[in-house]
Amino acid sequence: MNGRKLLAGAAVLAVAGVSVSSAVRDETPAPAPIVDYGPVRLVAFDSCDNAVTELRRALAPYVSAYGLGGGNVLYAEGMATDSAGVAKNTPQANNATPPAQPSQQQDHSTTNVHEQGVDEPDIVKTDGKRVFSIADGKLRVIDVASKAVTGVVDLGERRASQLLVSGDRALVVTENAVPIMEKMLPPDRPSFAPESGTELVLVDLKAQKEISSLKTDGFYLDARQIGGTARVVVRSQPRISWVYPDQTTNEAGALRRNKEILQSEPISSWLPRYELNENGAKSSGTLVDCANVSRPTAPSATSMLTVLTFQLSGQLGTGQPVSIVADGDTVYGTGNNLYIADDHRLLPELPGRPPVQRPITTAIHQFDISQAGPPKHVASGDVNGTLLNQYSLSEHEGVLRVATTTGTETRCCWRMPTDVVPQQQQQPPSQSFVTTLRRDGNKLAKVGEVGGLGKGERIYSVRFIGKTGYVVTFRQTDPLYTLDLSDPKQPKVTGELKITGYSAYLHPAGDGRLIGVGQEATEQGRTTGTQVSLFDVSNPASPQRLAQYHLPNSNSEAQFDPHAFLYWPQDGTLVIPVSTYKTNYEVSSLVLRVDGNQLRETGKIVEPQSQNSYGGARRTIVIGDQLWSVSNAGVQINARNGLAQQAWLPF
């Protein structure tokens, strides 16, 4: 996802049912919060002693009788959503180009990615001769020529979620369940809890066996791969054994004790830990030294981001870690840079104090990955508002373009009683912006900005192609905005198209055309089913919709995960998975064809066991003149022309 938010920053804040009025109000003066929302700069700690002193101070304002924060918040995954209402979620030229399009010589499709030459992890991969699939805890290798499963690597009870492939090596991302409430964990829990976190598994695809694994107590955010080099971003939190009110300790006592605990915590409580297993030899320890950790001038100390670098042709090792004291939820990569963005919504509220309505900014950290070895942090900056996903970011000719929405943000996940919320905290109407940034020393400095897009609405999709930007906002109707970004100092809106419904994903189709996948809607904004649109954007001043396909009572995974989208420009084949609700529930692969200015339905691919496949087909790839549709239940092979079924390979 690649992409998931963990709520409330560093920990659960309170047990369900604790009201705001019961929050403890300590009489001792609280240290001034050092979280600010000004320009972000990263610097290194002077020493480990200085590091722990600053981290304790940064965390102190958030300490309560229940650990961190003062709200009634569950720390869970999958509860936050992106702007579309779905849980969110590289050596090439240094610019933002359309996704890799297959050449006339290439006879198979690849993962639909944001930037050409920058691969992204997914549940299905292919090299044209083999298809690799992750499902039900197993990595399967399917031979294309024989149409047979030729190997299975059982990953045990680990929950495999994504993989990257390079030659005969695969890097599998496995994630363990996140505890719903920290308060339910024993107070003396170990500093490294093997039941939670991320484990990376390196697999030899030829020998069909696991080579090595690296477990961290951080949660996986995303990864990017260029050639045989993979970079994985994980987010970790301080491991502090807080006390909680019980039959022997009231809230005031627990608060005092938690403040004492914080002041005695060593630096190791903040540094992520690891367990490495290479060829049966095991080791463990602190993943990164405090001397190699950067921090903002005003850190929150609730989270740490670590970028791991792996050469898939060798051993995993500990990934040459580079860490910063910062939070993050969005990863974007080009051939030369890796960006990690954080919109500050994960910070817990200050205990005993009403939530403060303030404009939310998104911090962006830039890492140079143009050279071999670990990345180097080179700059940081911020913009107003919040991102939708990685497609809200785009780099072109050294300029970073960022699309954000302001006025729809919420800084906390709990509500104060209406009688204690100040009247002046009413939020301003939402609107969207595109801001241009350029590196100036160690700062991502603002170059230009255009705002006023979709007033009262929020962004549902973004696409930057060369010097042009496309932004879709939605509330009741769908304005598709075209933007001229040729002058980064003066970005401007050049055109607007209003139609019902919205596009949640935009994809270039060549010849001045753009494909949109989303939902049709009534004039009142009620969605009615999957919509695929073909736009003519050759005249930026007057974008037009050439064709529309509407499938009532349905939705598509491609709306929130572009990896589920397939477009094969050689013959215009377009495939997306759809879930349709009629008298029963049906999952299929919808096959369309872009034919000039038309969208024509070719048919649907329904697998034999769609009712028992945990969601049906999720990815479709082109191999030669065939369509391979892969689900958790198996692989179905159909002719690209006519869709005649040629084989079914059950898992």
Side-chain angles (χ1 to χ4, degrees), residues 26 48 162 173 186 199 215 226 370 413 421 457 476 535 597:
D26 188 36
C48 289
Q162 294 181 331
V173 179
E199 186 171 5
K215 184 183 296 184
I226 304 176
S370 61
C413 310
V421 178
E457 303 175 341
Q476 291 181 314
F535 298 103
N597 292 336

Side-chain angles (χ1 to χ4, degrees), residues 619-634:
R619 300 291 186 270
T620 300
I621 54 181
V622 170
I623 301 180
D625 59 0
Q626 299 171 332
L627 292 175
W628 289 55
S629 299
V630 187
S631 73
N632 291 329

Side-chain angles (χ1 to χ4, degrees), residues 458-492:
R458 55 182 176 177
I459 290 177
Y460 270 67
S461 61
V462 183
R463 196 68 191 236
F464 296 99
I465 303 174
K467 297 180 180 181
T468 304
Y470 305 95
V471 176
V472 170
T473 63
F474 177 74
R475 184 177 181 184
Q476 291 181 314
T477 58
D478 165 9
L480 167 65
Y481 294 96
T482 58
L483 297 97
D484 179 0
L485 307 173
S486 57
D487 182 358
K489 295 181 180 179
Q490 295 182 321
K492 57 185 179 181

Side-chain angles (χ1 to χ4, degrees), residues 195-457:
E195 71 275 9
S196 63
T198 298
E199 186 171 5
L200 305 172
V201 182
L202 186 63
V203 174
D204 186 325
L205 295 170
K206 182 173 290 186
Q208 298 174 11
K209 67 175 184 179
E210 181 178 326
I211 300 174
S212 54
S213 65
L214 176 67
K215 184 183 296 184
T216 77
D217 58 352
F219 301 101
Y220 168 78
L221 283 184
D222 211 340
R224 294 295 182 271
Q225 178 185 341
I226 304 176
T229 303
R231 291 183 169 85
V232 180
V233 183
V234 295
R235 172 184 180 270
S236 59
Q237 301 170 296
R239 300 172 302 279
I240 300 177
S241 299
W242 305 110
V243 301
Y244 304 96
D246 55 24
Q247 294 179 350
T248 61
T249 305
N250 60 18
E251 289 187 341
L255 174 60
R256 286 192 294 270
R257 179 60 185 139
N258 283 338
K259 289 187 174 184
E260 294 170 356
I261 289 172
L262 175 62
Q263 295 307 314
S264 64
E265 286 296 311
I267 184 63
S268 58
S269 295
W270 278 268
L271 301 177
R273 294 181 60 81
Y274 75 92
E275 288 181 1
L276 176 65
N277 186 341
E278 288 188 334
N279 300 318
K282 297 183 179 181
S283 60
S284 62
T286 300
L287 188 62
V288 62
D289 186 85
C290 59
N292 296 326
V293 178
S294 298
R295 63 173 177 83
T297 51
S300 68
T302 58
S303 299
M304 186 174 291
L305 297 173
T306 301
V307 183
L308 305 171
T309 301
F310 304 101
Q311 295 296 329
L312 300 191
S313 60
Q315 294 285 342
L316 278 181
T318 56
Q320 306 176 77
V322 172
S323 298
I324 60 175
V325 181
D327 216 323
D329 49 36
T330 303
V331 176
Y332 163 67
T334 69
N336 292 328
N337 292 296
L338 186 72
Y339 295 89
I340 306 175
D342 166 38
D343 60 18
H344 301 300
R345 283 183 291 187
L346 305 184
L347 287 176
E349 287 294 337
L350 297 175
R353 307 178 192 179
V356 177
Q357 292 286 356
R358 58 168 63 92
I360 292 182
T361 60
T362 293
I364 304 171
H365 308 296
Q366 178 185 359
F367 293 83
D368 183 347
I369 58 171
S370 61
Q371 305 298 318
K376 297 179 176 62
H377 172 259
V378 292
S380 291
D382 66 347
V383 295
N384 290 327
T386 58
L387 304 177
L388 172 67
N389 52 32
Q390 65 152 318
Y391 286 85
S392 298
L393 300 164
S394 170
E395 183 188 84
H396 182 74
E397 297 180 348
V399 175
L400 181 67
R401 294 85 63 89
V402 186
T404 57
T405 299
T406 64
T408 63
E409 315 93 336
T410 307
R411 281 208 61 243
C412 71
C413 310
W414 55 281
R415 290 187 178 276
M416 293 284 291
T418 55
D419 60 341
V420 298
V421 178
Q423 294 296 319
Q424 66 270 24
Q425 290 188 2
Q426 186 174 359
Q427 289 181 316
S430 62
Q431 62 173 310
S432 296
F433 296 80
V434 171
T435 305
T436 56
L437 305 171
R438 191 190 298 273
R439 180 184 168 191
D440 182 6
N442 64 358
K443 180 181 179 181
L444 285 171
K446 179 178 174 180
V447 177
E449 181 180 79
V450 58
L453 284 70
K455 291 183 178 180
E457 303 175 341

Side-chain angles (χ1 to χ4, degrees), residues 20-83:
V20 175
S21 60
S22 66
V24 177
R25 300 184 182 275
D26 188 36
E27 298 302 324
T28 59
I34 62 175
V35 176
D36 68 22
Y37 294 85
V40 177
R41 294 186 300 109
L42 289 189
V43 295
F45 287 113
D46 297 333
S47 66
C48 289
D49 287 342
N50 181 45
V52 73
T53 298
E54 292 196 36
L55 292 173
R56 289 170 182 166
R57 178 172 177 262
L59 205 59
Y62 299 100
V63 175
S64 75
Y66 296 91
L68 294 180
N72 181 17
V73 181
L74 293 181
Y75 169 12
E77 62 175 324
M79 293 176 62
T81 62
D82 63 21
S83 297

Side-chain angles (χ1 to χ4, degrees), residues 503-543:
S503 296
Y505 172 66
L506 297 171
H507 190 90
D511 298 327
R513 296 173 302 171
L514 199 64
I515 298 169
V517 178
Q519 286 279 308
E520 174 63 293
T522 65
E523 293 184 356
Q524 291 72 41
R526 184 178 65 83
T527 58
T528 62
T530 302
Q531 172 178 263
V532 180
S533 299
L534 180 63
F535 298 103
D536 179 356
V537 292
S538 57
N539 179 3
S542 181

